[in-house]
Amino acid sequence: MLPYLVAAALATAAPSPCPSDLLVANPRLKVVRATDKTRDNYVVTVDVTNHGVAPQPSETRQHLSLLRDGKVIGSQPIPAIGANESYVAAFRQQLPHQPKRAPFTVEFRYVLDSNNAARANCTSANDRLTATL
């Protein structure tokens, strides 16, 4: 009987999970030769996943920025994301062709533009990701 009482007390004392909690992860790079052979198309993608137990409110306004050397080189709006669902954000940059490309570092930053943080993204712990591609 005592184990059941302890389990019940712990269950009621445990903090409730986040309604919506976004995670920016899994960066990828694809380099494709452009029609103009002196240039390359760099397509950088990343997953934005709601690891929360509830969907984001439909009125949520948010975007993802792509930064290189501290400067924003791309930005795109992100739709409201359902619980345990993902959105793939992709950015395309055209750069001069290089036969041997050195790795470069980019940063992805999730930004909540609306004022509903408690329901749309309860923590900012996973809102930024730095990747060397």
Side-chain angles (χ1 to χ4, degrees), residues 24-31 42-48 64 66 76 87-93 104 106 108 129 131 133:
V24 179
N26 195 20
R28 302 169 300 282
L29 171 68
K30 183 176 183 179
V31 181
Y42 286 64
V43 180
V44 181
T45 58
V46 69
D47 299 330
V48 181
L64 190 69
L66 176 67
Q76 70 171 273
Y87 176 81
V88 178
F91 299 90
R92 184 176 76 102
Q93 296 290 312
F104 59 93
V106 294
F108 299 94
L129 175 67
L133 305 169

Side-chain angles (χ1 to χ4, degrees), residues 55-100:
Q56 289 184 298
S58 60
E59 73 275 3
T60 300
R61 293 181 330 276
Q62 55 197 351
H63 72 274
L64 190 69
S65 294
L66 176 67
L67 293 87
R68 185 169 180 192
D69 299 326
K71 296 180 183 176
V72 175
I73 60 171
S75 182
Q76 70 171 273
I78 303 291
I81 303 173
N84 295 313
E85 291 185 359
S86 294
Y87 176 81
V88 178
F91 299 90
R92 184 176 76 102
Q93 296 290 312
Q94 198 170 74
L95 300 171
H97 172 69
Q98 295 178 344
K100 291 188 177 186

